[in-house]
Amino acid sequence: MDNSAAREALAAMGFEDDQVHAALQRAATVEEAIALILGGDLEPDPSTNPTAGMMAGMKMVLCCNQDLNMSAGKLGAQCAHAALGAARRVDGSVGDAWRQSGEKVVVLRCDGGETGLLELQQAAAASGLPAHGVRDAGRTEVDAGSLTVLAIGPAAEDRVDEISGHLQLY
């Protein structure tokens, strides 16, 4: 298998060109190509690229609105909504790659309030990364319509870090 749609899908996930080429030479489907790359079953030529065959992994980050002072339980529920919403937005091959790489999720602090989250969401969209914001219904701790958590990803770690790397761990 070696077609432009498969190349584009794998490139969008953050895989290196040499990985994509080698995997598509051996795989019958995009899913098989992902498994080959993530499984380290490719033998790239290190003389042409010292980082060939290595992939940054996949992850999702959950950026939490610190201005709302949510309780641990409220924040946990909002993070779950964000993670599920983001995971549902990605196509099958991206979701498969994320699952195969361990479904990494990192929770981060966003001290910029709703404005900060919206700026992150715009940056993610401009970079072609999936993002999903959660607005609360207002039944418990925060006002209706408050932007509580923004999920970015799942996508290649290095691409997600370009957008959220400046934020601190929660």
Side-chain angles (χ1 to χ4, degrees):
M1 175 182 85
D2 191 3
N3 63 54
S4 61
R7 280 187 184 282
E8 288 178 22
L10 292 168
M13 288 181 243
F15 295 115
E16 300 293 328
D17 288 339
D18 57 341
Q19 294 173 305
V20 170
H21 179 73
L24 291 176
Q25 294 294 327
R26 295 176 43 195
T29 66
V30 171
E31 288 76 18
E32 286 178 18
I34 293 168
L36 286 169
I37 295 169
L38 293 177
D41 295 331
L42 300 175
E43 296 181 14
D45 180 0
S47 67
T48 60
N49 182 354
T51 62
M54 297 175 72
M55 191 217 141
M58 304 282 288
K59 77 175 178 183
M60 176 190 299
V61 294
L62 304 176
C63 308
C64 304
N65 186 341
Q66 292 300 286
D67 288 359
L68 298 176
N69 296 315
M70 293 175 278
S71 68
K74 180 67 170 179
L75 183 60
Q78 297 301 297
C79 284
H81 290 309
L84 288 169
R88 289 182 184 132
R89 287 179 176 257
V90 297
D91 69 33
S93 57
V94 173
D96 290 344
W98 180 55
R99 282 186 287 283
Q100 290 175 5
S101 68
E103 295 180 323
K104 183 175 183 178
V105 177
V106 178
V107 182
L108 303 171
R109 297 176 181 271
C110 182
D111 293 322
E114 184 164 329
T115 300
L117 291 178
L118 291 173
E119 289 171 358
L120 290 169
Q121 188 171 29
Q122 290 171 348
S127 295
L129 294 174
H132 179 76
V134 174
R135 291 202 176 267
D136 194 69
R139 294 186 195 105
T140 55
E141 298 179 19
V142 298
D143 292 336
S146 297
L147 184 58
T148 57
V149 178
L150 174 70
I152 302 172
E157 284 192 50
D158 57 346
R159 294 189 64 214
V160 173
D161 289 344
E162 288 175 10
I163 306 301
S164 63
H166 65 285
L167 299 177
Q168 294 181 347
L169 291 173
Y170 194 89

